Amino acid sequence: MDVSVVIVLILVRWTCSISEVEMVKAESDVSDRLTLESVRDSLIRQEDSIVFSLIERARFPLNAPTYDPSYFSMPGSYGSLVELVVKQTEAVQAKAGRYENPEEHPFFPDDLPPSQVPPHKYPRVLNPAAVFVNVNKKIWDVYFNKLLPLFVAPGDDGNYASTAARDLECLQVLSRRIHYGKLVAEVKFRDEWKHYEPAIRARVLSFHSYYATNDAYMKSVDKKTLMDLLTAPAVEKAVKKRVAKKARIFGQEVKVGDDSDKNKGKYKVDPAVVSRFYGDWVIPLTKDVEVQYLLHRLD
Amino acid sequence: MDVSVVIVLILVRWTCSISEVEMVKAESDVSDRLTLESVRDSLIRQEDSIVFSLIERARFPLNAPTYDPSYFSMPGSYGSLVELVVKQTEAVQAKAGRYENPEEHPFFPDDLPPSQVPPHKYPRVLNPAAVFVNVNKKIWDVYFNKLLPLFVAPGDDGNYASTAARDLECLQVLSRRIHYGKLVAEVKFRDEWKHYEPAIRARVLSFHSYYATNDAYMKSVDKKTLMDLLTAPAVEKAVKKRVAKKARIFGQEVKVGDDSDKNKGKYKVDPAVVSRFYGDWVIPLTKDVEVQYLLHRLD
């Protein structure tokens, strides 16, 4: 046998021994941008957007009619004013191509008009199954029912359209941050696929059993579950601390030539509320997204 | 003559001697909120919104196709993507009642759909002629041609829809701030109507003459022009200083347990650009609105 043929055969055999996981890894590494550091930087930057958006919503009081389905009726429309504003603004942005970016997730994906702009080549980073993970219904629920009443003043100034526009802004930045969990999961998976692969396979069973039977099965599976793998208590504590600090810094009253502590403690949005909301909802929902994504990572 | 009749006659005579200006003043004082302090507080708060919106726009690079009319074509639409997004989002917000509030001014007022929500009783504060003062065309021009190239990075990441949404946000907060000049003018007029009234009457003439003939007439009128009355160099200097400080504080990278100066000088939007834009455009355009409003204040 010719030496070159032997080399080719060895190469072929070596190549075939690369696991499917590694092949996917190589294939989707079209973008060098995806590192744990770049993902973390983006999450940190998104905290600023979330804090800004809450401060801007807090410019208006609660403005309850915005959320009251009986407040107005429009031909061909039902629901509250905020639903109308979110749905119709999403439609405008969909035509302009917003949801072509896999990092963006609409709150009303049904009947969304198609993009009218030339397609853009976003880096292919995620498993195609990512498209089915959308927790916006839950985000909508916790934003309006858990968060909003805690950080806006009671009252009514009539600016319901502007209020709804501000709510949309909050929803969009929260949605973007929480669904960024897909990229977090992808980068963690790539870095530690040897740990994740068995956990995914085991957890898929436990996940199905959880819904089919009861908690008992879950408890019996390997403790190294996906959720354990995805949880870093020290990082989460730091995030909560940082968002509180951002709420203090961005929500203070800035005065020229006055750096005294006179206004200390007066913030446009309570830093403790932001921190608690991150701990109770933003971080857990992000991890939900990570788990949901990883369960399909080997599809 | 009965004593009570005499008293009534005296009262009638006294009432009739109140100038037209004072009557308007009493009539429109429906809201106690309008004081120089409340107007200033609002302008200061709006600075935060402006700085936030610029920082949020700077998340994206220039994304030139957003502004290129040849980038896409949509049935029934012409112009650039940003025009489409602004026009159609304004239409959604108009239906939700945004432009019923006299503090809000659309960029595309033609063909705007009517509000579909029950009317809200906003305090009647301004002279009805205020509705004709709209400098949004100029704001559009300076935002896109003077400001934008100075604070966004070059480049293209394909997020044109999100970019346009961020531009809309910047435009709306700038427009709100600049048109707040109407309220600034109204409160200054109320506080010092004795100075403003003759200036308005004289300036109306000079204003007409300015367009009909040349500068010569203008120079001949009383030096105490409206623009002089409206200009407070010390206040303007403080505003410019404060917005730069806000750009530094809101645009810094916040870290937990690290208040070192390591990141000093690294801001998401250059504070000097914000300050200069305020001095060169925001303040002068606000004063333009003030003058335009005052010229109709006695209509």
Side-chain angles (χ1 to χ4, degrees):
Chain A
M1 199 184 283
D2 191 303
V3 176
S4 64
V5 173
V6 173
I7 291 173
V8 166
L9 279 175
I10 290 171
L11 274 176
V12 166
R13 171 138 183 75
W14 179 77
T15 309
C16 291
S17 73
I18 296 176
S19 80
E20 187 196 320
V21 171
E22 284 218 292
M23 280 212 288
V24 173
K25 189 185 163 193
E27 185 192 339
S28 54
D29 257 351
V30 286
S31 159
D32 288 339
R33 293 186 316 170
L34 195 71
T35 63
L36 196 52
E37 210 191 330
S38 70
V39 167
R40 277 205 182 132
D41 283 351
S42 176
L43 287 174
I44 290 171
R45 175 63 189 82
Q46 289 178 54
E47 290 162 8
D48 295 32
S49 302
I50 289 173
V51 175
F52 292 159
S53 73
L54 299 181
I55 291 173
E56 287 299 274
R57 172 60 184 87
R59 262 168 50 205
F60 301 98
L62 179 61
N63 280 339
T66 316
Y67 316 107
D68 178 1
S70 70
Y71 165 62
F72 86 114
S73 70
M74 199 186 292
S77 157
Y78 58 93
S80 63
L81 191 72
V82 75
E83 282 174 73
L84 173 104
V85 169
V86 171
K87 210 179 283 183
Q88 298 199 353
T89 311
E90 282 192 338
V92 173
Q93 298 188 349
K95 284 186 275 181
R98 181 183 186 113
Y99 302 106
E100 300 303 293
N101 182 342
E103 290 172 22
E104 301 289 349
H105 299 75
F107 282 82
F108 295 96
D110 303 333
D111 309 319
L112 218 52
S115 167
Q116 308 262 337
V117 300
H120 178 82
K121 226 179 163 178
Y122 291 101
R124 192 186 148 237
V125 174
L126 299 173
N127 182 297
V131 80
F132 300 112
V133 182
N134 183 333
V135 298
N136 271 347
K137 271 205 180 106
K138 187 73 191 162
I139 295 173
W140 181 281
D141 173 48
V142 299
Y143 172 73
F144 287 113
N145 298 317
K146 307 286 180 194
L147 181 58
L148 191 62
L150 297 179
F151 81 96
V152 295
D156 186 331
D157 68 0
N159 290 303
Y160 314 137
S162 298
T163 298
R166 300 267 57 84
D167 286 325
L168 172 60
E169 192 59 39
C170 294
L171 289 167
Q172 284 183 330
V173 292
L174 284 170
S175 171
R176 192 159 188 276
R177 196 288 180 194
I178 288 166
H179 288 101
Y180 217 75
K182 298 179 187 180
L183 288 154
V184 175
E186 178 63 30
V187 77
K188 284 180 178 171
F189 177 84
R190 288 187 194 187
D191 285 354
E192 292 183 75
W193 62 269
K194 278 182 190 162
H195 289 120
Y196 278 97
E197 204 182 323
I200 290 169
R201 297 202 194 279
R203 192 67 178 75
V204 167
L205 285 173
S206 71
F207 182 78
H208 287 164
S209 307
Y210 175 70
Y211 287 101
T213 57
N214 56 40
D215 280 344
Y217 187 92
M218 266 200 82
K219 284 171 191 153
S220 73
V221 299
D222 183 1
K223 268 195 177 171
K224 204 76 188 153
T225 61
L226 282 179
M227 200 51 101
D228 286 341
L229 274 167
L230 293 166
T231 301
V235 174
E236 293 178 11
K237 206 174 148 191
V239 170
K240 285 182 64 183
K241 239 175 141 173
R242 194 172 49 234
V243 292
K245 190 174 178 183
K246 287 183 177 182
R248 280 196 300 276
I249 290 176
F250 303 152
Q252 69 183 301
E253 198 178 324
V254 175
K255 285 184 177 168
V256 170
D258 176 9
D259 289 318
S260 68
D261 283 353
K262 215 166 46 187
N263 288 302
K264 213 167 178 169
K266 277 197 213 163
Y267 306 112
K268 294 184 185 87
V269 167
D270 182 354
V273 166
V274 181
S275 178
R276 210 163 50 238
F277 183 69
Y278 247 80
D280 291 350
W281 295 106
V282 177
I283 294 170
L285 280 170
T286 306
K287 287 199 285 187
D288 269 5
V289 168
E290 293 178 44
V291 169
Q292 284 191 42
Y293 173 74
L294 286 174
L295 288 175
H296 294 286
R297 184 56 183 79
L298 304 175
D299 287 359
Chain B
M1 199 185 283
D2 192 301
V3 176
S4 64
V5 173
V6 173
I7 292 173
V8 166
L9 280 175
I10 291 169
L11 275 175
V12 166
R13 174 142 179 72
W14 177 77
T15 310
C16 291
S17 74
I18 297 175
S19 81
E20 188 195 320
V21 171
E22 283 218 290
M23 281 212 290
V24 172
K25 189 185 163 192
E27 187 194 339
S28 54
D29 257 351
V30 285
S31 160
D32 288 339
R33 293 185 317 169
L34 194 72
T35 62
L36 196 53
E37 210 190 329
S38 70
V39 167
R40 277 204 182 132
D41 283 350
S42 176
L43 288 174
I44 291 171
R45 175 62 190 83
Q46 290 178 54
E47 290 163 10
D48 295 31
S49 301
I50 290 172
V51 174
F52 292 159
S53 72
L54 299 180
I55 291 173
E56 287 298 276
R57 172 61 184 85
R59 264 169 48 204
F60 302 98
L62 179 62
N63 281 338
T66 316
Y67 316 106
D68 178 1
S70 70
Y71 165 63
F72 85 114
S73 70
M74 200 186 290
S77 158
Y78 57 94
S80 63
L81 191 71
V82 75
E83 282 173 75
L84 174 102
V85 169
V86 171
K87 209 180 285 185
Q88 296 198 354
T89 311
E90 282 192 338
V92 173
Q93 297 187 351
K95 284 187 274 180
R98 182 183 184 113
Y99 301 105
E100 299 302 293
N101 182 342
E103 289 172 23
E104 301 290 349
H105 299 75
F107 282 83
F108 295 96
D110 302 334
D111 308 319
L112 217 52
S115 167
Q116 308 263 336
V117 299
H120 177 83
K121 228 179 161 177
Y122 291 101
R124 194 188 147 235
V125 174
L126 298 173
N127 183 296
V131 80
F132 301 111
V133 181
N134 183 333
V135 298
N136 272 347
K137 272 205 178 108
K138 187 74 191 161
I139 295 172
W140 181 282
D141 172 49
V142 299
Y143 172 73
F144 287 112
N145 299 318
K146 307 286 178 192
L147 181 58
L148 192 63
L150 297 180
F151 81 95
V152 296
D156 187 331
D157 68 1
N159 290 304
Y160 313 137
S162 298
T163 298
R166 300 267 56 84
D167 286 326
L168 171 60
E169 192 59 39
C170 295
L171 289 167
Q172 284 183 330
V173 291
L174 284 170
S175 171
R176 192 160 186 277
R177 196 288 183 194
I178 288 165
H179 288 101
Y180 217 74
K182 297 179 188 181
L183 286 155
V184 175
E186 178 63 29
V187 77
K188 284 180 179 170
F189 177 83
R190 288 187 195 186
D191 285 353
E192 293 183 74
W193 63 270
K194 277 181 190 165
H195 289 120
Y196 278 97
E197 203 185 322
I200 290 169
R201 298 202 194 279
R203 190 69 176 75
V204 168
L205 283 172
S206 70
F207 181 78
H208 288 164
S209 306
Y210 175 70
Y211 287 100
T213 57
N214 57 40
D215 279 343
Y217 188 91
M218 267 198 81
K219 282 170 193 155
S220 74
V221 299
D222 183 0
K223 269 196 176 169
K224 204 76 187 154
T225 61
L226 282 178
M227 200 52 100
D228 287 339
L229 274 168
L230 293 166
T231 300
V235 173
E236 293 177 9
K237 206 174 149 192
V239 170
K240 284 182 64 182
K241 239 176 141 172
R242 193 171 51 234
V243 293
K245 190 173 177 184
K246 287 183 177 181
R248 280 197 300 276
I249 290 177
F250 303 152
Q252 67 182 302
E253 198 178 324
V254 175
K255 285 185 176 166
V256 171
D258 176 10
D259 289 317
S260 69
D261 283 353
K262 214 166 48 188
N263 287 303
K264 213 168 176 168
K266 277 197 212 164
Y267 306 111
K268 296 183 183 86
V269 167
D270 183 354
V273 166
V274 181
S275 177
R276 210 164 48 240
F277 183 69
Y278 247 79
D280 291 351
W281 295 106
V282 177
I283 294 171
L285 280 171
T286 306
K287 287 198 285 186
D288 269 6
V289 167
E290 292 177 45
V291 169
Q292 284 190 44
Y293 173 74
L294 286 174
L295 288 176
H296 292 287
R297 183 56 183 79
L298 303 176
D299 286 0

